[in-house]
Amino acid sequence: MPTLLLMRGARFARRIRLPDGEVRIGRWAGNEIVLPSPVVSKVHAVLKCQGAFATVKDARSTNGSFVNGARIDTAPLLDGDRLRLGDMELMFCGRDDPTAELVPSRALPTPGEAAATDLAVLEVRKEKPSTARPPPRNRAQPVAEGIAFTLPMRGREVSALITYEALALHFGVYAIGEDGYSRAVDVYEANTLAIHVAATCRYQQSAQEPVVLRARNF
């Protein structure tokens, strides 16, 4: 279970455990994580956690959401990433901290259902349709912002993800339409060797887990 650290300068002021599901962040008291700042939007961003993977999506906030200084719409989060919402800074940690507070989360939408909208959250990514096939035996499956898979590494398995952007630019498949996610898994399976080689190189360079393959990593 990952942990979110609310920073105050070089120190953290609050430690928050993130269970699977969606967690809204903003100044509105109905959010799962409330940031009492006038420059933070009512619902500023939404965190989505699923196993080893986490993403953050800006909720059309007034002042934007930033990961490591870059403004984002949607982005995967890796251990040590800095998230800035308005004038508030948070650090994402991939490791669990059992002593941190556990926030509630909203369950991820079931297959075929769109994520619920709430207040300032006006745009939500379409989730995997109910007609999607069960995950194949190699456990490659659509999660967050790409296809998740396991990478054999030194006698163990490392969690990895290839983004839909990378699949589109390098393999010509788009996760759009009712069968888009199934097509993306098919393309992953047809190009497993190339993807695993790129993921292994990425892991050797960064030693970060999960391994996230973006278009620039090929």
Side-chain angles (χ1 to χ4, degrees), residues 10 17 33 55 65 78 87 98 139-140 163 170 181 191:
R17 298 176 79 197
I33 298 177
T55 58
S65 299
L78 297 176
D87 59 351
R139 287 180 288 178
T163 65
H170 292 283
Y181 295 98
N191 297 276

Side-chain angles (χ1 to χ4, degrees), residues 143-211:
V143 299
E145 293 302 307
I147 299 299
F149 59 96
T150 55
L151 182 68
M153 182 69 66
R154 299 174 184 174
R156 67 186 185 92
E157 291 185 335
V158 173
S159 296
L161 177 142
I162 179 169
T163 65
Y164 293 125
E165 177 193 27
L167 285 170
L169 290 179
H170 292 283
F171 302 102
V173 63
Y174 295 85
I176 299 173
E178 290 189 357
D179 61 344
Y181 295 98
S182 294
R183 290 200 310 272
V185 172
D186 289 340
V187 168
Y188 161 80
E189 293 174 345
N191 297 276
T192 298
L193 179 59
I195 293 171
H196 278 213
V197 168
T200 299
C201 292
R202 178 64 180 159
Y203 179 76
Q204 291 172 342
Q205 292 170 354
S206 66
Q208 287 186 313
E209 299 181 36
V211 180

Side-chain angles (χ1 to χ4, degrees), residues 1 10 20 22 45 50 63 68 84 96 100 111-112 117 119 125 131 136 144 152 167 180-181 190 195-197 200 210:
M1 187 179 296
D20 280 1
E22 290 185 341
Q50 189 172 352
N63 295 307
N68 299 327
R84 181 162 59 85
D96 189 18
T117 57
L119 293 180
R125 185 182 183 89
T131 55
L167 285 170
Y181 295 98
I195 293 171
H196 278 213
V197 168
T200 299

Side-chain angles (χ1 to χ4, degrees), residues 80-118:
D81 280 351
R82 296 253 179 170
L83 175 61
R84 181 162 59 85
L85 309 177
D87 59 351
M88 308 294 287
E89 185 172 10
L90 306 100
M91 177 182 289
F92 179 81
C93 296
R95 298 176 297 277
D96 189 18
D97 182 355
T99 64
E101 64 179 288
L102 178 65
V103 299
S105 67
R106 297 180 298 161
L108 292 174
T110 57
E113 294 179 347
T117 57
D118 195 349

Side-chain angles (χ1 to χ4, degrees), residues 11-89:
R11 299 184 178 182
F12 60 85
R14 187 179 175 192
R15 296 172 299 162
I16 306 164
R17 298 176 79 197
L18 301 172
D20 280 1
E22 290 185 341
V23 173
R24 297 164 300 185
I25 305 177
R27 75 171 188 269
W28 175 51
N31 291 310
E32 285 74 36
I33 298 177
V34 179
L35 301 180
S37 168
V39 295
V40 172
S41 295
K42 290 181 179 179
V43 180
H44 199 107
V46 178
L47 286 177
K48 181 188 293 185
C49 295
Q50 189 172 352
F53 301 99
T55 58
V56 59
K57 180 176 178 63
D58 182 71
R60 290 191 176 181
S61 62
T62 301
N63 295 307
S65 299
F66 297 78
V67 174
N68 299 327
R71 187 164 186 162
I72 58 93
D73 175 37
T74 302
L77 289 175
L78 297 176
D79 186 47
D81 280 351
R82 296 253 179 170
L83 175 61
R84 181 162 59 85
L85 309 177
D87 59 351
M88 308 294 287
E89 185 172 10

